[in-house]
Amino acid sequence: MGINCFLFLPLLFILVLNFFLDIATAQVAGFVSLDCGGQSNFTDNLGLEWTPDNQIVYGITSNISVTNETRQQYQTVRYFPADNRKYCYTINVKSRTRYLLRTTFLYGNFDNNNVYPKFDISMGPTRWATIVISDANTIESQELIFLASGSTVSVCLSNATTGQPFISTLELRPFNGSIYLTPYENQYFLSVSARINFGAENEDPVRYPDDPFDRIWQSDMLKKANYLVDVATGTDRVSTKLPIDIGKDEQPPQKVMQTAVVGRNGNLTYRMNLDGFPAFGWAYTYFAEIEDLAANETRKFRLILPGMPEISKAVVNIQENAQGTHRLYEPGFENISLPFVLSFRFGKTSDSTQGPLVNAIEINKYLKIDDGSFDGDVAASLVSSYESYDWAKEGGDPCLPVAWSWLVCNTDREPKIISVKLSGMNLTGPIPSDLTKLTSLEQLWLDGNALTGPIPDFTGCPNLKIIHLENNQLSGNIPSSLAELPNLSQLYLQNNLLTGDVPTSLLNKNLVLNYTGNANLRKGGSEGGHYRKIIIGLTVGAVALFLGFITSCILLRQRKKYPKTELKHRMPVMSNAATEAAQSFTLSELRYATKNFEKKVGSGGFGTVYYGKLNDGKEIAVKLLENNNVYQGKKEFANEVTLLSRIHHRNLVQFLGFCQEEGMDILVYEFMHNGTLKEHLYGPMARERGINWIKRLEIAEESAKGIEYLHTGCVPSIIHRDLKTSNILLDKNMKAKVSDFGLSKLAVDGTSHVSSIVRGTLGYLDPEYYISNRLTDKSDIYSFGVILLELISGQEAISNVNFGINCRNIVQWAKMHIESGDIQGIIDPVLGNEYDIQSMWKIAEKALMCVQPHGNMRPSMSEVIKEIQDAILIERGVQAAARERSSDELSRHSTLNMGSLDLCANDQDLMIDESFSRPGPR
Ligand SMILES: *[C@@H]1O[C@H](CO)[C@@H](O)[C@H](O)[C@H]1NC(C)=O
Ligand SMILES: *[C@@H]1O[C@H](CO)[C@@H](O)[C@H](O)[C@H]1NC(C)=O
């Protein structure tokens, strides 16, 4: 790959060499490491290849010397005049690729002035940061994560308020995954604020080669002002040498995940300043259980941010969320408002035996991308035809943050070019037609070049006041259209090769006009060669003409605007962005895996599911979504799918990826070998190998945990909306996982279900939601109550025959029996006598609570879980007792010591430990 590095001094002084370096052989996969002010290539001791910017003979290089900084790239700087220009590096990038961009600045008193510089850096038109040097020996650094939308990016220095702008290094690192994908990435950069490695071994950051993307994971031991202060007592540093399963993508490197801090007293607290905040930001935490917890130990905790109680609803249980130890779990906030001074705390829940643990965090600020100049495209096209000219290489946006040296722009939010001054620039060839597209142009200076050909039609620039075309080799007639420019007041055409008559309309116009020195030009009667001034009053005709132009100018501007905005919308959106997010599968890959959708393993409200096997042997379930048209625009689909891929819980079916081709929307999930709970409760399979009561309870507990996670573990919480036995799937080991979560959000309208607004499945549908159309997590509780009744009875939710006359609904039927004390009347005959009546009653009563007509009377998922767990304890107690006393004559009911079980235990799961609501040690 080649890089192009441009920097400019005022044109008079400079001679620019455009340089292309072939660094493909030398560099780590697309890394660009520019040693600004350096003289030669070198490889540093991390293995990074540095390239000097010394092919640029402008800007001034200086050697510096800073104690304790031996790295070669910090022995030099490149600096620029403190004028009102911008100085840009333009670097080739791969379009549609996400990059990390890092600039660093080590002053080192390069100018022997001891004046600490202060200046701005920008990324294209977007103001990125103000660099404030406050110490000659400290490296200032700025990082940005962006999605390249074109083939180059420009980093510019400008607006020095003190000292001279300078730069030490410029580094570009491509990403190849999606963790930095956000729904906003076409409008916002991510400006890196904090990337912290907790429990670090020493003060050194972790970076390349430990991090293949060369992110700098700052040590939590680093000493700097307002950085990780207010640490709670009892904070311990822990580490492991065992490998950490960090998955693919750009997850934090293993070395970062192998260390952590643990709050032995139940709390981890920190305070730090967040550069650039308050703002909306992207904040992620990275956890991996690296301590060996005994079987009876738990580590559950919450994040607590002052004034943000919502945040504390989610409980982290690393092992459970990550599905094991030494595995990464990375919950976070895609968009959260954070203050400049951030205090945060992780606090253990009251039922957790261990304090919180955190391995790493990352906080980025959303930086709005500036749309750039109104005339950006035209200007880009103009300079592209003069690639070898210095003035065409200034780089960045024509007007922002400051204009190219030969342009003047107005101060609109999307600035427009109002003056072009290219006098004496050795221009040849015709007058560039792009100039006639600058709709707000007022002054055009092209004098003193070697331009040839005719004068073009400038009616596209109705604001033109002053035109300098003198001292060129222009030929042809003077176009009469020039007279149609309503504001034209000065027109200089002398010393060209123009021919024909000077149009009388021009001669009759109120303007300064000079056309001397055109040997073959006839001047319409009056003697030529002299400066002419013709002043006429405004006539009715002129007014009409003027109005005519105003109109055409408005039309013209509108037309101009369209292609531009269209382009911007089209470019970024979906195809790449989404495919990067969740893994994307190609249709042919899925056709192959499913043998062209041969084996149908299920169908449901959202589509048909096929069995598949990937090349690596992994079995998958491929869901072809029905009714393509009901899914929102591609972009929304992609965003939703991205969100889906970020929900992980051991009791939720794992989402693997998606495919959107040939008008088909396809989702790919892990394959669940034992099918749906529904199949196990009814039908042929149930008869052969029906599941016993304790297994049913375990399935209930597992699926309830999955649902609880959707309700409380996600912010914002997710309501499933379509819970039913066919959405509870069983894996190889008969562990239950909930499927189809998050899907109802995808559908806009008119799916196969109930009505166009209320969604769900008949028999499971919360009547309150049905009537009020107000959806809450209590609607899921209702559906889960129905599932519990099915587990007890082995009856389907709706039946025309099984519930007697006038009753088609399991809820009515079960309620009638249970309330009259006849629980035996509803118990699945398949269960025989293999259950304890106490546990059966517990579940039956809870199920009735769940199907209460009003949501506020129904329990929360965690209460339901507690009840199921109690029922399981009863069953296990019974089983154990049965084993112990297998020879005993006693009936199992009398062996059970009910007193040892607190049947009405308060659920403390959802209450924050008292100690968290008190201010922590500061
Ligand atoms: C983040 O959320 C806020 C408030 O809901 C919203 O105004 C903003 O546009 C969102 N996105 C970004 C990138 O700030
Ligand atoms: C124009 O060309 C002449 C002759 O080659 C050269 O001396 C002069 O520096 C050039 N001017 C600019 C602005 O490039």
PDB file of all heavy atoms in Angstrom, residues 6-23:
ATOM      1  N   PHE A   6       1.307  14.871   2.886  1.00  0.00           N
ATOM      2  CA  PHE A   6       1.452  16.235   2.383  1.00  0.00           C
ATOM      3  C   PHE A   6       1.423  17.250   3.501  1.00  0.00           C
ATOM      4  O   PHE A   6       0.570  17.195   4.363  1.00  0.00           O
ATOM      5  CB  PHE A   6       0.290  16.614   1.473  1.00  0.00           C
ATOM      6  CG  PHE A   6       0.107  15.676   0.343  1.00  0.00           C
ATOM      7  CD1 PHE A   6      -1.106  15.053   0.151  1.00  0.00           C
ATOM      8  CD2 PHE A   6       1.145  15.424  -0.520  1.00  0.00           C
ATOM      9  CE1 PHE A   6      -1.277  14.189  -0.893  1.00  0.00           C
ATOM     10  CE2 PHE A   6       0.965  14.567  -1.568  1.00  0.00           C
ATOM     11  CZ  PHE A   6      -0.247  13.949  -1.760  1.00  0.00           C
ATOM     12  N   LEU A   7       2.312  18.175   3.419  1.00  0.00           N
ATOM     13  CA  LEU A   7       2.293  19.265   4.383  1.00  0.00           C
ATOM     14  C   LEU A   7       2.671  20.511   3.622  1.00  0.00           C
ATOM     15  O   LEU A   7       3.471  20.457   2.711  1.00  0.00           O
ATOM     16  CB  LEU A   7       3.343  19.020   5.452  1.00  0.00           C
ATOM     17  CG  LEU A   7       2.934  17.920   6.399  1.00  0.00           C
ATOM     18  CD1 LEU A   7       4.101  17.522   7.238  1.00  0.00           C
ATOM     19  CD2 LEU A   7       1.803  18.400   7.266  1.00  0.00           C
ATOM     20  N   PHE A   8       2.121  21.613   3.999  1.00  0.00           N
ATOM     21  CA  PHE A   8       2.367  22.800   3.207  1.00  0.00           C
ATOM     22  C   PHE A   8       2.806  24.010   3.961  1.00  0.00           C
ATOM     23  O   PHE A   8       2.308  24.332   5.022  1.00  0.00           O
ATOM     24  CB  PHE A   8       1.124  23.165   2.400  1.00  0.00           C
ATOM     25  CG  PHE A   8       0.952  22.210   1.297  1.00  0.00           C
ATOM     26  CD1 PHE A   8       0.325  21.002   1.514  1.00  0.00           C
ATOM     27  CD2 PHE A   8       1.511  22.465   0.079  1.00  0.00           C
ATOM     28  CE1 PHE A   8       0.218  20.082   0.523  1.00  0.00           C
ATOM     29  CE2 PHE A   8       1.410  21.539  -0.925  1.00  0.00           C
ATOM     30  CZ  PHE A   8       0.763  20.352  -0.719  1.00  0.00           C
ATOM     31  N   LEU A   9       3.730  24.716   3.358  1.00  0.00           N
ATOM     32  CA  LEU A   9       4.133  26.029   3.797  1.00  0.00           C
ATOM     33  C   LEU A   9       3.546  26.989   2.795  1.00  0.00           C
ATOM     34  O   LEU A   9       3.143  26.600   1.714  1.00  0.00           O
ATOM     35  CB  LEU A   9       5.649  26.115   3.755  1.00  0.00           C
ATOM     36  CG  LEU A   9       6.321  25.648   5.031  1.00  0.00           C
ATOM     37  CD1 LEU A   9       7.805  25.915   4.910  1.00  0.00           C
ATOM     38  CD2 LEU A   9       5.763  26.409   6.210  1.00  0.00           C
ATOM     39  N   PRO A  10       3.552  28.246   3.105  1.00  0.00           N
ATOM     40  CA  PRO A  10       3.065  29.194   2.100  1.00  0.00           C
ATOM     41  C   PRO A  10       3.718  28.903   0.759  1.00  0.00           C
ATOM     42  O   PRO A  10       4.898  28.599   0.671  1.00  0.00           O
ATOM     43  CB  PRO A  10       3.498  30.530   2.697  1.00  0.00           C
ATOM     44  CG  PRO A  10       3.473  30.296   4.170  1.00  0.00           C
ATOM     45  CD  PRO A  10       3.879  28.855   4.364  1.00  0.00           C
ATOM     46  N   LEU A  11       2.901  29.022  -0.256  1.00  0.00           N
ATOM     47  CA  LEU A  11       3.313  28.507  -1.563  1.00  0.00           C
ATOM     48  C   LEU A  11       4.601  29.113  -2.074  1.00  0.00           C
ATOM     49  O   LEU A  11       5.352  28.481  -2.781  1.00  0.00           O
ATOM     50  CB  LEU A  11       2.188  28.765  -2.555  1.00  0.00           C
ATOM     51  CG  LEU A  11       0.949  27.959  -2.229  1.00  0.00           C
ATOM     52  CD1 LEU A  11      -0.205  28.407  -3.094  1.00  0.00           C
ATOM     53  CD2 LEU A  11       1.240  26.480  -2.431  1.00  0.00           C
ATOM     54  N   LEU A  12       4.838  30.354  -1.733  1.00  0.00           N
ATOM     55  CA  LEU A  12       6.028  30.988  -2.256  1.00  0.00           C
ATOM     56  C   LEU A  12       7.302  30.241  -1.864  1.00  0.00           C
ATOM     57  O   LEU A  12       8.260  30.198  -2.608  1.00  0.00           O
ATOM     58  CB  LEU A  12       6.117  32.428  -1.740  1.00  0.00           C
ATOM     59  CG  LEU A  12       5.149  33.380  -2.416  1.00  0.00           C
ATOM     60  CD1 LEU A  12       5.273  34.768  -1.823  1.00  0.00           C
ATOM     61  CD2 LEU A  12       5.405  33.410  -3.919  1.00  0.00           C
ATOM     62  N   PHE A  13       7.278  29.645  -0.700  1.00  0.00           N
ATOM     63  CA  PHE A  13       8.524  29.082  -0.186  1.00  0.00           C
ATOM     64  C   PHE A  13       8.689  27.618  -0.509  1.00  0.00           C
ATOM     65  O   PHE A  13       9.721  27.043  -0.225  1.00  0.00           O
ATOM     66  CB  PHE A  13       8.593  29.224   1.327  1.00  0.00           C
ATOM     67  CG  PHE A  13       8.294  30.607   1.785  1.00  0.00           C
ATOM     68  CD1 PHE A  13       7.342  30.841   2.754  1.00  0.00           C
ATOM     69  CD2 PHE A  13       8.968  31.677   1.210  1.00  0.00           C
ATOM     70  CE1 PHE A  13       7.071  32.138   3.158  1.00  0.00           C
ATOM     71  CE2 PHE A  13       8.687  32.975   1.627  1.00  0.00           C
ATOM     72  CZ  PHE A  13       7.743  33.202   2.602  1.00  0.00           C
ATOM     73  N   ILE A  14       7.679  27.019  -1.016  1.00  0.00           N
ATOM     74  CA  ILE A  14       7.779  25.576  -0.959  1.00  0.00           C
ATOM     75  C   ILE A  14       7.946  24.902  -2.296  1.00  0.00           C
ATOM     76  O   ILE A  14       7.578  25.415  -3.332  1.00  0.00           O
ATOM     77  CB  ILE A  14       6.554  24.971  -0.262  1.00  0.00           C
ATOM     78  CG1 ILE A  14       5.316  25.361  -1.027  1.00  0.00           C
ATOM     79  CG2 ILE A  14       6.494  25.385   1.175  1.00  0.00           C
ATOM     80  CD1 ILE A  14       4.100  24.665  -0.531  1.00  0.00           C
ATOM     81  N   LEU A  15       8.495  23.764  -2.192  1.00  0.00           N
ATOM     82  CA  LEU A  15       8.625  22.894  -3.340  1.00  0.00           C
ATOM     83  C   LEU A  15       8.204  21.547  -2.796  1.00  0.00           C
ATOM     84  O   LEU A  15       8.761  21.039  -1.849  1.00  0.00           O
ATOM     85  CB  LEU A  15      10.081  22.871  -3.793  1.00  0.00           C
ATOM     86  CG  LEU A  15      10.445  21.737  -4.726  1.00  0.00           C
ATOM     87  CD1 LEU A  15       9.682  21.888  -6.027  1.00  0.00           C
ATOM     88  CD2 LEU A  15      11.940  21.739  -4.968  1.00  0.00           C
ATOM     89  N   VAL A  16       7.201  21.020  -3.401  1.00  0.00           N
ATOM     90  CA  VAL A  16       6.638  19.827  -2.803  1.00  0.00           C
ATOM     91  C   VAL A  16       6.990  18.600  -3.611  1.00  0.00           C
ATOM     92  O   VAL A  16       6.929  18.609  -4.822  1.00  0.00           O
ATOM     93  CB  VAL A  16       5.105  19.942  -2.760  1.00  0.00           C
ATOM     94  CG1 VAL A  16       4.520  18.721  -2.098  1.00  0.00           C
ATOM     95  CG2 VAL A  16       4.712  21.176  -2.023  1.00  0.00           C
ATOM     96  N   LEU A  17       7.336  17.579  -2.935  1.00  0.00           N
ATOM     97  CA  LEU A  17       7.495  16.294  -3.588  1.00  0.00           C
ATOM     98  C   LEU A  17       6.388  15.394  -3.092  1.00  0.00           C
ATOM     99  O   LEU A  17       6.185  15.231  -1.911  1.00  0.00           O
ATOM    100  CB  LEU A  17       8.845  15.678  -3.234  1.00  0.00           C
ATOM    101  CG  LEU A  17      10.064  16.386  -3.798  1.00  0.00           C
ATOM    102  CD1 LEU A  17      11.306  15.693  -3.307  1.00  0.00           C
ATOM    103  CD2 LEU A  17      10.003  16.393  -5.315  1.00  0.00           C
ATOM    104  N   ASN A  18       5.723  14.845  -4.031  1.00  0.00           N
ATOM    105  CA  ASN A  18       4.648  13.951  -3.707  1.00  0.00           C
ATOM    106  C   ASN A  18       5.301  12.593  -3.538  1.00  0.00           C
ATOM    107  O   ASN A  18       6.002  12.142  -4.411  1.00  0.00           O
ATOM    108  CB  ASN A  18       3.730  13.968  -4.925  1.00  0.00           C
ATOM    109  CG  ASN A  18       2.548  13.117  -4.735  1.00  0.00           C
ATOM    110  OD1 ASN A  18       2.397  12.522  -3.682  1.00  0.00           O
ATOM    111  ND2 ASN A  18       1.723  13.042  -5.747  1.00  0.00           N
ATOM    112  N   PHE A  19       5.135  11.973  -2.421  1.00  0.00           N
ATOM    113  CA  PHE A  19       5.872  10.724  -2.300  1.00  0.00           C
ATOM    114  C   PHE A  19       4.972   9.520  -2.021  1.00  0.00           C
ATOM    115  O   PHE A  19       4.011   9.602  -1.288  1.00  0.00           O
ATOM    116  CB  PHE A  19       7.010  10.857  -1.289  1.00  0.00           C
ATOM    117  CG  PHE A  19       6.611  10.737   0.145  1.00  0.00           C
ATOM    118  CD1 PHE A  19       6.855   9.554   0.841  1.00  0.00           C
ATOM    119  CD2 PHE A  19       6.020  11.793   0.810  1.00  0.00           C
ATOM    120  CE1 PHE A  19       6.513   9.453   2.167  1.00  0.00           C
ATOM    121  CE2 PHE A  19       5.677  11.680   2.138  1.00  0.00           C
ATOM    122  CZ  PHE A  19       5.917  10.515   2.817  1.00  0.00           C
ATOM    123  N   PHE A  20       5.311   8.473  -2.660  1.00  0.00           N
ATOM    124  CA  PHE A  20       4.586   7.228  -2.476  1.00  0.00           C
ATOM    125  C   PHE A  20       5.560   6.198  -1.947  1.00  0.00           C
ATOM    126  O   PHE A  20       6.624   6.017  -2.521  1.00  0.00           O
ATOM    127  CB  PHE A  20       4.017   6.730  -3.805  1.00  0.00           C
ATOM    128  CG  PHE A  20       2.980   7.635  -4.352  1.00  0.00           C
ATOM    129  CD1 PHE A  20       3.323   8.725  -5.125  1.00  0.00           C
ATOM    130  CD2 PHE A  20       1.638   7.404  -4.068  1.00  0.00           C
ATOM    131  CE1 PHE A  20       2.356   9.566  -5.619  1.00  0.00           C
ATOM    132  CE2 PHE A  20       0.673   8.242  -4.568  1.00  0.00           C
ATOM    133  CZ  PHE A  20       1.026   9.325  -5.347  1.00  0.00           C
ATOM    134  N   LEU A  21       5.223   5.580  -0.889  1.00  0.00           N
ATOM    135  CA  LEU A  21       6.132   4.593  -0.332  1.00  0.00           C
ATOM    136  C   LEU A  21       5.513   3.226  -0.502  1.00  0.00           C
ATOM    137  O   LEU A  21       4.346   3.040  -0.226  1.00  0.00           O
ATOM    138  CB  LEU A  21       6.339   4.849   1.154  1.00  0.00           C
ATOM    139  CG  LEU A  21       6.939   6.187   1.516  1.00  0.00           C
ATOM    140  CD1 LEU A  21       6.996   6.315   3.019  1.00  0.00           C
ATOM    141  CD2 LEU A  21       8.325   6.297   0.920  1.00  0.00           C
ATOM    142  N   ASP A  22       6.321   2.327  -0.933  1.00  0.00           N
ATOM    143  CA  ASP A  22       5.808   0.976  -0.997  1.00  0.00           C
ATOM    144  C   ASP A  22       6.174   0.285   0.301  1.00  0.00           C
ATOM    145  O   ASP A  22       7.287  -0.161   0.489  1.00  0.00           O
ATOM    146  CB  ASP A  22       6.394   0.233  -2.191  1.00  0.00           C
ATOM    147  CG  ASP A  22       5.778  -1.141  -2.298  1.00  0.00           C
ATOM    148  OD1 ASP A  22       4.783  -1.397  -1.580  1.00  0.00           O
ATOM    149  OD2 ASP A  22       6.286  -1.959  -3.077  1.00  0.00           O
ATOM    150  N   ILE A  23       5.231   0.241   1.208  1.00  0.00           N
ATOM    151  CA  ILE A  23       5.558  -0.332   2.506  1.00  0.00           C
ATOM    152  C   ILE A  23       4.816  -1.635   2.737  1.00  0.00           C
ATOM    153  O   ILE A  23       4.805  -2.176   3.816  1.00  0.00           O
ATOM    154  CB  ILE A  23       5.248   0.661   3.642  1.00  0.00           C
ATOM    155  CG1 ILE A  23       3.840   1.184   3.504  1.00  0.00           C
ATOM    156  CG2 ILE A  23       6.249   1.791   3.617  1.00  0.00           C
ATOM    157  CD1 ILE A  23       3.430   2.063   4.646  1.00  0.00           C
TER     158      ILE A  23
END
